[in-house]
Amino acid sequence: MERNEFFVPLSDSDITFAELSAVERLLCSPQISNGQITEALEHAFAAYLGRKYAVAVSSGTIGLLLALKALGIGPGQEVIASPYSFRETAHAISLAGARAVFADIDYWSGALIPAKAEERITANTRAIVAGNPSGHPAPWSELRAVTQRHQLLLLEDSTEAIGSSYKAELVGRFGDLAVFDFAQPAALTCGEGAVVVTDDIDIAVGLRRHRVHRLDERSSVVVGSTAPYQAGMSDLAAALGLAQLKRLDEILERRRLVEQLYNVHMQSFEGIKPPYVGLHVTEVSWLLYLVHLGTRSTRSGRAAIIDDLRDAQVESAAYSQPLHLQRHYFDFGYRRGDFLVTEKIADRALALPFHTHLANKQIEFIVETMKDASINVGAGAAIY
């Protein structure tokens, strides 16, 4: 389908003159890849979260991979994770050579259930990786209690949740480390890139050694003992990210307005549930506007709705293809039916366009089109 001026994309970055100017200044400077801008972004992001250290990397998956390497987690060890997310950061567990042990999720929030994670702990378990699906915070207090009881590491996948808060604290402050991703459709985007934050200097040093070696470190016997992945963030991406970080409050406020408009138009429909906000959740900074089709809906019915929206020039997407159903994890023995809640929600979760450039009329059109499409496939009914 040829895209035209009426096409509504799933995401659209909030880029202003401030971002363009920041990138232009770097391009006009004598050095565009010396790492100074990346270091500035690291300091600013650590300060934003109130954490001691931040390490910028090339992607969220690479960030978690380097973190696992820094922690010495690899072959013969297990990491418990959720099979449900938009960003498949948990692939890093396999890339590190460890075994991903999945546990089921909460039906409403989509977050990892602490009790289910605890059931999966064995003598080989080293860590739990929990995410904030589409921006909704996980139950971090309960997860921390589980890891403390079993002396495990708690790793926070916040790749979808910049700006969300739990019990009045920003996500990214709960794990021994946390990973943020800056690729679309995140509120803060710099094309590609991510940041890992921690308060542990040993983790930060390990991350940097596995990421890349600076020129002045190459002769170091200590640093040179680790072969780096050459997985740093470019200064160009960092310049864009730093400018976005300075505008983050403004961007998040504009996204909240879009969320409110969606909620207004969603009220008159039965069979489609708007995004859920759980107990102790102070703020949700949604990655996408994620709705759940009713129990009458099927995976094929959702696919038909996506097709109808595409015909109407609206981009939408299935939020999750569960990890345990992807071919790679079949080799570990996972099959359909292993995690019934994950599968049920994944078959019915529909991500709608969510970005600051959406106008009220567009949101109204998106919702009405989705309503008509869902009636056609028997997934819902209008309330009159």
Side-chain angles (χ1 to χ4, degrees):
M1 178 184 68
E2 182 179 352
R3 298 189 177 186
N4 56 41
E5 60 181 310
F6 301 108
F7 180 78
V8 182
L10 189 66
S11 68
D12 188 5
S13 298
D14 191 321
I15 302 297
T16 66
F17 181 74
E19 287 84 356
L20 296 174
S21 297
V23 173
E24 182 181 23
R25 282 195 301 273
L26 179 62
L27 288 173
C28 294
S29 69
Q31 291 281 345
I32 66 171
S33 60
N34 62 8
Q36 290 184 355
I37 305 300
T38 301
E39 288 184 11
L41 173 62
E42 290 174 338
H43 291 310
F45 198 75
Y48 161 70
L49 283 174
R51 303 217 60 167
K52 292 181 180 179
Y53 310 103
V55 180
V57 294
S58 55
S59 74
T61 300
I62 288 293
L64 182 56
L65 170 61
L66 300 189
L68 294 172
K69 290 288 186 180
L71 294 167
I73 297 176
Q77 298 175 326
E78 297 174 348
V79 177
I80 296 170
S82 165
Y84 179 76
S85 72
F86 189 75
R87 300 196 190 282
E88 297 171 342
T89 313
H91 282 318
I93 300 168
S94 289
L95 293 172
R99 177 183 175 85
V101 176
F102 298 122
D104 218 343
I105 62 172
D106 177 71
Y107 178 83
W108 298 104
S109 70
L112 188 67
I113 298 176
K116 294 289 186 182
E118 191 164 21
E119 290 172 1
R120 305 287 281 165
I121 295 172
T122 71
N124 295 323
T125 306
R126 285 290 310 281
I128 294 176
V129 176
N132 303 295
S134 195
H136 190 287
W140 290 110
S141 297
E142 297 170 50
L143 286 164
R144 174 54 76 185
V146 171
T147 58
Q148 288 176 338
R149 276 197 297 273
H150 297 273
Q151 297 183 315
L152 302 175
L153 294 159
L154 180 59
L155 311 183
E156 185 177 344
D157 177 2
S158 283
T159 53
E160 302 182 9
I162 187 169
S164 293
S165 57
Y166 174 77
K167 294 185 177 179
E169 276 204 79
L170 287 171
V171 299
R173 294 176 52 85
F174 299 101
D176 293 290
L177 59 86
V179 184
F180 289 83
D181 194 290
F182 299 152
Q184 282 184 261
L188 188 162
T189 182
C190 52
E192 296 288 344
V195 166
V196 184
V197 295
T198 183
D199 293 329
D200 188 319
I201 190 170
D202 292 329
I203 294 175
V205 169
L207 282 163
R208 292 185 177 122
R209 286 181 181 171
H210 284 91
R211 176 187 61 177
V212 66
H213 295 169
R214 298 195 309 264
L215 288 175
D216 60 356
E217 293 176 327
R218 291 181 178 179
S219 60
S220 167
V221 175
V222 175
V223 175
S225 65
T226 303
Y229 283 78
Q230 298 301 116
M233 179 188 289
S234 74
D235 269 0
L236 283 171
L240 184 53
L242 191 57
Q244 288 256 286
L245 182 59
K246 293 174 181 176
R247 296 184 51 243
L248 184 58
D249 288 344
E250 171 196 339
I251 294 170
L252 293 177
E253 182 58 36
R254 293 170 68 177
R255 288 169 73 95
R256 279 191 286 269
L257 175 59
V258 171
E259 176 195 355
Q260 291 166 11
L261 292 172
Y262 259 120
N263 290 342
V264 168
H265 293 296
M266 285 292 300
Q267 291 308 308
S268 62
F269 202 69
E270 182 181 75
I272 295 180
K273 300 187 291 292
Y276 166 84
V277 179
L279 186 67
H280 302 309
V281 172
T282 316
E283 180 71 44
V284 183
S285 172
W286 300 109
L287 180 75
L288 294 161
Y289 193 82
L290 186 65
V291 299
H292 288 238
L293 305 179
T295 55
R296 286 179 291 175
S297 180
T298 62
R299 188 178 184 183
S300 60
R302 182 192 51 195
I305 293 172
I306 292 172
D307 287 342
D308 284 355
L309 286 166
R310 184 185 300 113
D311 290 341
Q313 303 287 297
V314 175
E315 185 179 16
S316 61
Y319 170 76
S320 173
Q321 173 61 23
L323 287 174
H324 73 285
L325 299 181
Q326 296 185 25
R327 181 65 186 85
H328 171 72
Y329 297 95
F330 272 50
D331 295 337
F332 294 99
Y334 290 111
R335 297 293 184 273
R336 180 170 285 277
D338 287 345
F339 305 105
L340 295 177
V341 176
T342 295
E343 293 166 25
K344 182 176 182 179
I345 296 302
D347 284 350
R348 295 175 174 86
L350 177 63
L352 298 175
F354 191 65
H355 50 83
T356 60
H357 298 133
L358 286 170
N360 183 48
K361 284 291 185 183
Q362 288 176 304
I363 294 170
E364 182 179 22
F365 175 74
I366 291 167
V367 174
E368 290 302 321
T369 303
M370 180 192 62
K371 288 178 180 179
D372 291 342
S374 63
I375 290 172
N376 291 340
V377 299
I383 299 173
Y384 297 103

